[in-house]
Structure formats: structure tokens, C-alpha cells
Amino acid sequence: MISALISRIKTGTFTLVFDDFKQITKVGLSLSVVFSSLAGYLLGANTISYNILILLAFGGYCMVGASNAFNQVIERDLDALMKRTQNRPIPSGRMSVQTALIIAVVFTIVGIAALYIVNPKTAMFGGISIFLYTSVYTPLKTRTPLSVFVGAFPGAIPFMLGWVAATNDFGIEAGVLFMIQFFWQFPHFWAIGWVLYDDYKKAGFNLLPTGKRDKATALQIIMYTFWMMIVAVIPVTGLTGALKLSVVSAIIISIFGLVMMLYAFRLYHRRDNIAARQLMLASVLYITVIQIIYVIDKFV
């Protein structure tokens, strides 16, 4: 009976520790980055190496996990002020700053090492991503809405990172993949900033381009959504080197883009949290679906 009780306590403790580990590394976000990287790899690879896939997935997860852990160490006092983040491991007191830093440093070293085995360029872009996210984007979040522009650079790396991992080259193909995810981030994160405007305000974060939930912000969301749609179908022109896209796939991608644009216009007219949340969800669906379409288009 006693041994069973001890076992339950250990199991419960492990579950709590594992939950905190998932929160400090933001497992959902990290897995989405891994998905984007693997999609980029499949687009660039002539022959698929499962060893490279594993290293890319592992290194990509570590890269994002390290960035998020550093971010939560830096913003621990601000996280304590916001409802959505006050129960994170550090502000809640369940994890010490030292432990979080150890996780961040270990993930940085191990992640870059894994990506370096893939090839040095992949490791370089992984290191740049961590640096920009933690040392530039994070400090700017309380200073200027331009932080979203800065954060869009590390956020746009994963899709093209896979291509670089497959080809050991950064050319027009990787550049286009980068630009697709770069422009996508503005409507996505401004929609999040709209929904969480009041909570962000408690910590001094102002991520919206005009600083307000107004028509000007919604108009910029529409503009960036438009450019995202254009860049996403450029490969159909045949001007993007080895990165190709069929007419049928370009049409399907455009339809999904128009759906996202519809929600952007809905936000412009309604300017409420419901419309912003719908746009946010539509943006997640869009980036996931078009990456799948790109991969299917190559192999079918």
C-alpha cells in the first residue's frame, strides 16, 4: 500500500514537471515550427534522408524551446502581471530562473549542434533565430510595435530552414519560403495582439501597428494578407528556380488566401475580438494547409 502511494506521488510529480517543461519550451509552438521545417526539407530534398529529418526535427524543437525558455526568463516579472501567463512555471514559482536558464542553454547548445551535423548553414540560421528572438524581439516588445516586424524574421526562418537543410544552399527558393512565412506573421500576430490587447496592456506590451484596435490596424492586416497571398503563388510563374508550383495548387492556395482575407475584412468592419479570433484561427489553418499543398504538389 505504501509503495503504491509512493509510486502515485512520483508519477504525479513527474507529470507536473513534464507539464512545466512543455510550458517553458512552448511545446505547441515548437511542434508547429518542426512541422514547417520538415515541410521545407521535403520540398528541397531530392532524396529523403531520415537521419537528416530526425536531426532537423530535434534541432528545430531545441531551437524554439531555447528561445521560449530565454523569453520566459527575461519576461518573468511581466508574465506575472498577465492572466494568460501568470501560471507559467517561473512566475508561479514552480520553476526557478536558474533551472529555466539551464534548459535554455542546454537546448541552445544541443540544438545548434544537431543542426550543424545537418550542415553549417542550417546551424547558422538556427543560431540567428535564437539571437533575434531573445536579444532583439523580446526587449522591443515593451518599447515599440515594430517588435512584430523584428520578430517576423526569426519567425519566418523555419520553412526555409528545411530547404537549407536539404540543399545546403540559400537561394531564391529558400528566400520565397522565408517571405511566405514572413508576411503571414503580421496578420497572425496582430490578430493575437488584438484579442489579448487588454492583457498585454497590463505588462506594457503593445503589438498593434497603430497601438490601437482601430480601422488603421485592420487595414494594415488586410495589406499584409494581400502580400502574403501574392508571395505564396509566385512559384507558379516558374521564376523561383527549383521551387515549383502547379496551376491547380496555386488556385487552391489562393482560395485559402481569400478565405483568410475575408476574415481580415470582417475584422476591419466589425473590429471586435470575435472577428480577430476568427482571423487568428484562419491564419493557423492557412499556413498549415499551404505547406501541405506545396509538399503534395511536389510529389504527386
Side-chain angles (χ1 to χ4, degrees):
M1 184 175 179
I2 294 176
S3 60
L5 180 61
I6 292 174
S7 177
R8 287 176 61 188
I9 292 173
K10 288 182 178 179
T11 302
T13 302
F14 174 79
T15 301
L16 290 174
V17 170
F18 186 62
D19 285 343
D20 284 344
F21 174 80
K22 289 192 296 182
Q23 287 189 51
I24 203 72
T25 60
K26 289 190 179 179
V27 64
L29 175 61
S30 298
L31 290 177
S32 70
V33 167
V34 169
F35 179 85
S36 294
S37 298
L38 295 183
Y41 174 81
L42 293 174
L43 289 175
N46 292 321
T47 57
I48 296 172
S49 168
Y50 291 101
N51 289 334
I52 297 298
L53 278 174
I54 292 171
L55 286 168
L56 181 61
F58 177 73
Y61 187 96
C62 288
M63 177 184 72
V64 185
S67 298
N68 290 322
F70 278 126
N71 173 267
Q72 290 182 51
V73 168
I74 296 168
E75 294 183 346
R76 59 189 182 275
D77 294 332
L78 300 178
D79 281 347
L81 301 175
M82 296 183 290
K83 185 177 180 180
R84 61 179 286 270
T85 56
Q86 61 189 9
N87 197 43
R88 282 178 173 174
I90 300 177
S92 67
R94 298 192 308 274
M95 181 181 291
S96 67
V97 172
Q98 183 180 15
T99 299
L101 276 174
I102 290 172
I103 292 173
V105 171
V106 169
F107 267 46
T108 299
I109 296 171
V110 173
I112 291 179
L115 295 179
Y116 187 84
I117 295 172
V118 174
N119 62 57
K121 288 181 182 177
T122 303
M124 178 189 71
F125 283 117
I128 290 173
S129 176
I130 294 173
F131 173 77
L132 287 176
Y133 189 87
T134 59
S135 300
V136 185
Y137 165 69
T138 296
L140 284 177
K141 285 167 67 179
T142 56
R143 298 177 181 273
T144 171
L146 287 174
S147 62
V148 174
F149 175 78
V150 175
F153 284 89
I157 285 177
F159 200 15
M160 73 86 168
L161 190 73
W163 184 281
V164 176
T167 64
N168 194 25
D169 179 60
F170 181 86
I172 189 170
E173 301 91 347
V176 170
L177 297 180
F178 176 89
M179 293 305 293
I180 291 171
Q181 206 153 10
F182 179 80
F183 282 112
W184 168 81
Q185 286 182 91
F186 292 94
H188 175 70
F189 283 105
W190 283 336
I192 293 174
W194 192 298
V195 172
L196 299 175
Y197 180 83
D198 292 327
D199 211 23
Y200 277 146
K201 199 172 181 180
K202 296 174 185 176
F205 295 149
N206 193 351
L207 305 183
L208 299 181
T210 66
K212 301 176 183 178
R213 292 183 285 191
D214 57 12
K215 279 194 171 184
T217 287
L219 183 60
Q220 290 201 44
I221 289 174
I222 291 171
M223 291 171 58
Y224 277 92
T225 301
F226 171 77
W227 286 114
M228 174 201 74
M229 292 174 59
I230 297 298
V231 174
V233 297
I234 282 179
V236 78
T237 64
L239 300 175
T240 53
L243 183 64
K244 309 290 186 181
L245 191 67
S246 69
V247 173
V248 172
S249 292
I251 291 172
I252 296 172
I253 287 173
S254 296
I255 290 171
F256 277 95
L258 287 172
V259 170
M260 189 168 159
M261 181 66 82
L262 173 65
Y263 284 109
F265 272 102
R266 180 174 293 181
L267 178 62
Y268 178 81
H269 290 293
R270 292 173 48 176
R271 298 190 301 282
D272 60 19
N273 282 354
I274 294 176
R277 187 173 288 106
Q278 290 172 338
L279 173 61
M280 178 186 68
L281 295 174
S283 68
V284 173
L285 175 65
Y286 175 84
I287 197 65
T288 304
V289 168
I290 72 162
Q291 289 172 350
I292 293 173
I293 291 172
Y294 261 88
V295 173
I296 292 175
D297 186 77
K298 175 184 176 179
F299 289 99
V300 173

